[in-house]
């Protein structure tokens, strides 16, 4: 391969790698944008939260502080399929109105069409983790 070609190829690889890393990096902005569209789609845009972002959590996939309206999604969830992340966001958003996992909570959670599938997916991962430790 001529030197010029090689340089161009290396540059192309560098760009692709940078793009891939960009996609892999958990972005709070992207999470906030998803939350906004999920809110519009399933809750008529009525839910209000004070902050949303990724945070290091070893045992939970997400958390919502009912009193302050702060939503956190586990950083390790960032690599999960989009539909599963959306489910986690919907779950925590439903906690903005219900602190428990009662019937009213489930009614909200189930407005997201992939809820059952996402729950199964997370259960399988949690089971793998438990089986390993
Ligand atoms: Zn919950």
């Amino acid at each position: 391969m001529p030197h010029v070609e090689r340089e161009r190829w290396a540059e192309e690889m560098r760009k692709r790698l940078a793009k891939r890393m960009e996609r892999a990096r958990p972005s709070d902005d992207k999470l906030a944008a998803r939350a906004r569209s999920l809110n519009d789609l399933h809750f008529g845009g009525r839910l209000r939260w004070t902050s949303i972002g990724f945070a290091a959590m070893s045992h939970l996939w997400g958390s919502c502080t009912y009193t302050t309206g702060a939503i956190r999604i586990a950083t390790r969830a960032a690599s999960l399929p989009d539909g599963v992340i959306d489910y986690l966001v919907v779950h925590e958003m439903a906690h903005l109105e219900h602190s428990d996992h009662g019937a009213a909570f489930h009614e909200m959670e189930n407005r997201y069409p992939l809820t059952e599938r996402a729950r199964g997916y997370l259960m399988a991962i949690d089971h793998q983790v438990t089986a390993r430790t």
Side-chain angles (χ1 to χ4, degrees), residues 86-130:
D86 283 353
Y87 160 71
L88 291 171
V89 171
V90 166
H91 180 100
E92 300 312 331
M93 287 202 307
H95 275 312
L96 291 167
E97 294 200 339
H98 306 282
S99 58
D100 61 0
H101 290 138
F105 172 87
H106 283 299
E107 187 277 317
M108 282 183 78
E109 191 187 49
N110 287 329
R111 291 187 200 181
Y112 177 62
L114 295 177
T115 285
E116 277 312 307
R117 203 183 294 184
R119 287 172 69 98
Y121 190 96
L122 292 171
M123 245 180 254
I125 295 178
D126 284 337
H127 179 74
Q128 272 175 6
V129 172
T130 324

Side-chain angles (χ1 to χ4, degrees), residues 7-40:
E7 281 290 287
R8 202 175 294 155
W9 187 79
E11 179 56 28
E12 179 63 22
M13 286 296 120
R14 258 196 302 274
K15 270 191 211 155
R16 279 191 209 173
L17 196 65
K19 227 182 251 173
R20 194 179 304 162
M21 283 169 71
E22 173 66 35
R23 271 200 302 266
R25 195 166 39 134
S27 152
D28 291 350
D29 290 345
K30 269 187 235 162
L31 205 56
R34 307 175 91 103
R36 278 195 299 274
S37 72
L38 288 163
N39 187 22
D40 289 344

Side-chain angles (χ1 to χ4, degrees), residues 31-66:
L31 205 56
R34 307 175 91 103
R36 278 195 299 274
S37 72
L38 288 163
N39 187 22
D40 289 344
L41 216 55
H42 303 298
F43 306 113
R46 75 163 191 272
L47 299 178
R48 293 288 173 269
W49 53 92
T50 51
S51 68
I52 183 163
F54 285 104
M57 282 182 245
S58 48
H59 297 296
L60 296 171
W61 286 111
S63 76
C64 174
T65 312
Y66 186 67

